Amino acid sequence: MLQLQLLSSPPLTPQTVNLNSISNPNLFPSFSSLNSSQTRSFKFNPLSKPSKFSLKCRQSEYFDQKQRFNDSSSSSSPSSLAGLPARFYVGHSIYKGKAALTVEPRAPEFVPLDSGAFKISREGFVLLQFAPAAGVRQYDWSRKQVFSLSVTEIGTLISLGMRESCEFFHDPFKGKSDEGKVRKVLKVEPLPDGSGHFFNLGVQNKLLNVDENVYIPITRGEFTVLKSAFSFILPYLLGWHAFANSTKPDDTSRANNANPRYGGDYEWSR
């Protein structure tokens, strides 16, 4: 709200006004009801107490309401209410005539320790999703097949040459009662003209009676993008970013002395 106040000059000395001497009664309409035969004197100081008036600015009220709305909206978001940082989901997709390939990183998992620290319980991985084509620029994601690349398999792809090939075998039920009933084989082979690689995923699932092969050609440029992304995300899949963010210069010596297994000083002091 914007307030404007009349400023007064230094107070004048009180004056006496005789109503009978007023030639123009319109100047004092409030006194018109007085008997003209009566002589009344009033002492007043016209500027001793300045008049005040206020001007309400509706624009400022609009901005106040907008600010309150923004504050309430931000405070009611799930991340702010839970006190957790915002999460982001990313991926990269390659679309071809026969199939589509989507690549998504998955974060590592940590478990708390009694000391208050955290220990990695499961390394992150990169999830490959293959969807066969169902038409022109259409893909049947209900028939997608997935393959999870471990950090070691990611390293193999990063180091793969243009004329080299590799093969990965997965059994999701290895060591369990259903071992051997689901077999997944991912083959990465160079194209005959050397312009890229074939990604071929074969899935045999005896539990669901599924036997399917999905393949997609990956050009040299597309493979370079994948390898660059793999190289960038690899330390994060290992959880090393969490360790780096929690390390302080003054804590290094104390941590090494407390746990010689992870300290370099222990090797040189033997």
Side-chain angles (χ1 to χ4, degrees):
M1 181 182 293
L2 177 64
Q3 291 187 347
L4 298 180
Q5 178 176 334
L6 287 178
L7 299 179
S8 64
S9 58
L12 300 178
T13 57
Q15 300 177 4
T16 301
V17 177
N18 192 336
L19 294 180
N20 294 331
S21 63
I22 299 177
S23 59
N24 188 0
N26 293 328
L27 295 176
F28 296 92
S30 60
F31 298 147
S32 60
S33 60
L34 293 176
N35 191 342
S36 59
S37 61
Q38 295 177 346
T39 301
R40 295 177 182 269
S41 298
F42 296 91
K43 293 183 178 181
F44 68 98
N45 190 340
L47 298 179
S48 61
K49 187 176 182 180
S51 300
K52 294 183 179 180
F53 69 95
S54 61
L55 175 64
K56 191 172 184 179
C57 181
R58 302 189 65 86
Q59 186 178 10
S60 63
E61 183 182 41
Y62 165 76
F63 284 112
D64 291 342
Q65 293 177 355
K66 185 177 180 181
Q67 181 64 31
R68 288 195 298 269
F69 174 79
N70 293 338
D71 294 342
S72 61
S73 300
S74 59
S75 61
S76 60
S77 60
S79 59
S80 61
L81 291 177
L84 300 175
R87 302 192 64 179
F88 300 89
Y89 298 93
V90 297
H92 178 65
S93 299
I94 300 174
Y95 302 97
K96 296 297 175 68
K98 296 292 185 180
L101 170 63
T102 296
V103 183
E104 298 178 358
R106 292 292 189 267
E109 298 178 2
F110 298 85
V111 294
L113 302 178
D114 295 338
S115 61
F118 291 87
K119 179 181 179 181
I120 188 169
S121 60
R122 181 182 180 184
E123 293 180 344
F125 57 94
V126 170
L127 181 65
L128 304 182
Q129 300 182 70
F130 296 81
V136 179
R137 296 183 179 181
Q138 295 181 353
Y139 305 91
D140 189 358
W141 292 100
S142 63
R143 294 173 51 201
K144 70 178 181 180
Q145 300 294 338
V146 300
F147 195 90
S148 300
L149 291 174
S150 66
V151 293
T152 302
E153 292 168 341
I154 293 173
T156 301
L157 289 177
I158 293 175
S159 61
L160 194 66
M162 292 305 300
R163 293 291 183 178
E164 296 178 335
S165 62
C166 62
E167 181 176 322
F168 307 121
F169 170 76
H170 284 186
D171 184 350
F173 297 101
K174 186 176 182 179
K176 300 179 181 179
S177 58
D178 291 332
E179 180 177 355
K181 295 183 179 181
V182 178
R183 296 169 54 89
K184 296 183 178 183
V185 179
L186 176 63
K187 296 180 180 181
V188 180
E189 300 173 328
L191 294 174
D193 57 358
S195 61
H197 284 80
F198 262 123
F199 277 57
N200 188 348
L201 176 61
V203 178
Q204 293 180 349
N205 190 332
K206 298 179 181 179
L207 300 176
L208 301 177
N209 194 22
V210 173
D211 188 356
E212 190 168 4
N213 282 274
V214 184
Y215 66 91
I216 179 173
I218 305 297
T219 65
R220 183 192 300 265
E222 293 167 340
F223 194 40
T224 301
V225 171
L226 291 179
K227 296 200 309 185
S228 178
F230 290 162
S231 299
F232 173 80
I233 201 65
L234 188 58
Y236 294 87
L237 301 180
L238 294 171
W240 284 31
H241 66 291
F243 170 77
N245 293 336
S246 65
T247 302
K248 298 179 181 179
D250 55 346
D251 294 339
T252 305
S253 59
R254 181 167 62 254
N256 291 341
N257 294 332
N259 195 348
R261 176 183 176 185
Y262 299 104
D265 295 340
Y266 179 74
E267 177 183 357
W268 300 111
S269 61
R270 285 186 298 179

